[in-house]
Amino acid sequence: MFNFQIHSSIMHALNKHNDLLPSPRLTFLDGAILCLAKSFYEADRKLYMSNKELSKLFLSDPCTIQRSIDRLVVAGLISKEKEYIASKQRRYLTYKPDAVGNLLNLV
């Protein structure tokens, strides 16, 4: 279930982060991916969507998605891990609630 209030709080926190720490600047796309990761976390599921799938969802380029994910990982808001399922390597993203909670306390 999508909670716009949480989404709004995350976006305000990203804006505050950008005011306090000019690099790396977090974007709207970063916030959207972070909110998607949070929704999977709350459903106790792993976010296995590829960059190509995410690019279709967010009307963006797969390389832009990768840069966004990298910024979120560097900021410590999500982690990126790999596992093998049926002999295929898959990447998944994990939401970091404590780190996001710290970010939300900036607002």
Side-chain angles (χ1 to χ4, degrees), residues 51-102:
N51 292 349
K52 186 175 180 179
E53 291 172 297
L54 289 170
S55 71
K56 289 178 184 176
L57 180 65
F58 294 118
L59 306 171
S60 192
D61 182 82
C63 292
T64 302
I65 296 294
Q66 185 60 54
R67 285 189 299 272
S68 181
I69 289 169
D70 290 344
R71 277 192 300 275
L72 292 169
V73 169
V74 167
L77 301 174
I78 63 172
S79 65
K80 180 171 57 170
E81 300 175 40
K82 294 179 182 176
E83 71 180 20
Y84 288 88
I85 299 174
S87 300
K88 290 186 178 182
Q89 182 178 321
R90 294 185 70 186
R91 177 214 59 206
Y92 64 93
L93 305 175
T94 303
Y95 177 80
K96 301 290 198 169
D98 293 338
V100 175
N102 291 338

Side-chain angles (χ1 to χ4, degrees), residues 2 9 14 27 33 35-39 42 61 75-76 78 101 105:
F2 184 77
S9 295
L14 293 183
T27 68
I33 291 172
C35 289
L36 182 65
K38 181 180 185 346
S39 69
E42 289 176 342
D61 182 82
I78 63 172
N105 287 331

Side-chain angles (χ1 to χ4, degrees), residues 36-50:
L36 182 65
K38 181 180 185 346
S39 69
F40 274 77
Y41 171 82
E42 289 176 342
D44 199 29
R45 296 178 61 205
K46 294 180 179 180
L47 175 53
Y48 282 109
M49 295 174 79
S50 68

Side-chain angles (χ1 to χ4, degrees), residues 4-5 16 20-21 26 31 40 47-49 69 76 103 105:
F4 184 76
Q5 185 175 7
K16 187 69 170 179
L20 297 173
L21 303 169
L26 299 174
F40 274 77
L47 175 53
Y48 282 109
M49 295 174 79
I69 289 169
L103 180 67
N105 287 331

